Amino acid sequence: ADALRAAPSARGLPQTLGAPSMRRFLLSIALMFSLHAQAGVCEAGPETCRKSAEAGDRDAQFELGVYLLGYSARASQPAEAAQWLRSAAKGGHLLARVMLGRYLSDDSAPIEVRDRPEAYAWWVVAGERDAAANLKQSLSATELARGEQLAREFKSLYGLPR
């Protein structure tokens, strides 16, 4: 668990982001992306990255998700971005799990991707206890029950981050 705590994450960012904070959120994504980027994974551009992601490369899935979130303003495709981040997260990608928690709980994220119970579950599975606890305080009983059920399912299906 200590090794996971030492991994780059979005610690220190506001737990709930308002519209003015979305720019900071996207900048934090860019920072995490640059800290995480591995030479050659998606350097050749989004189409090469997409091919690698489609072939199951978790790093490429993560990087494509970040790109589609709006790392490039021309590329903002939030629903597809969330799907690629989910694919990476399901494959055990720690930063994808953390990012999903941040993005899916963000009030300024598009309504079609916002899912606070799922965000809670990803934070639990990623070991982001503080973020999960902060979000838990704002969930309704129904949302919390769904989030806890998802967390159990995610732990069982996808295991610990790799």
Side-chain angles (χ1 to χ4, degrees):
D2 290 334
L4 295 179
R5 296 257 163 240
S9 75
R11 288 191 194 288
L13 289 177
Q15 300 302 317
T16 303
L17 300 172
S21 297
M22 184 53 118
R23 183 176 182 87
R24 281 194 314 264
F25 174 71
L26 291 173
L27 289 173
S28 71
I29 289 170
L31 175 61
M32 286 191 331
F33 179 73
S34 66
L35 289 173
H36 172 76
Q38 297 179 7
V41 176
C42 287
E43 272 183 1
E47 289 313 310
T48 302
C49 189
R50 181 178 298 279
K51 287 179 185 175
S52 295
E54 289 169 350
D57 182 321
R58 284 188 290 279
D59 289 326
Q61 292 168 344
F62 170 75
E63 292 180 26
L64 183 59
V66 169
Y67 177 81
L68 294 171
L69 269 179
Y71 182 68
S72 164
R74 299 174 314 225
S76 184
Q77 299 173 33
E80 185 181 1
Q83 286 307 111
W84 283 115
L85 290 171
R86 279 186 189 98
S87 293
K90 289 174 181 180
H93 198 287
L94 177 61
L95 289 179
R97 291 174 177 190
V98 171
M99 189 173 296
L100 275 169
R102 297 262 183 244
Y103 189 56
L104 298 176
S105 65
D106 183 1
D107 291 337
S108 65
I111 190 76
E112 69 268 14
V113 297
R114 210 173 314 147
D115 188 330
R116 291 163 20 105
E118 183 183 353
Y120 171 81
W122 284 121
W123 271 335
V124 168
V125 174
E128 292 289 321
R129 290 185 211 113
D130 293 340
N134 285 338
L135 181 57
K136 182 178 182 176
Q137 293 176 10
S138 67
L139 296 176
S140 70
T142 303
E143 288 176 317
L144 181 58
R146 181 171 168 260
E148 289 176 342
Q149 176 61 36
L150 286 172
R152 286 190 296 275
E153 288 176 22
F154 292 175
K155 282 180 184 178
S156 172
L157 292 171
Y158 313 125
L160 294 175
R162 298 187 266 282

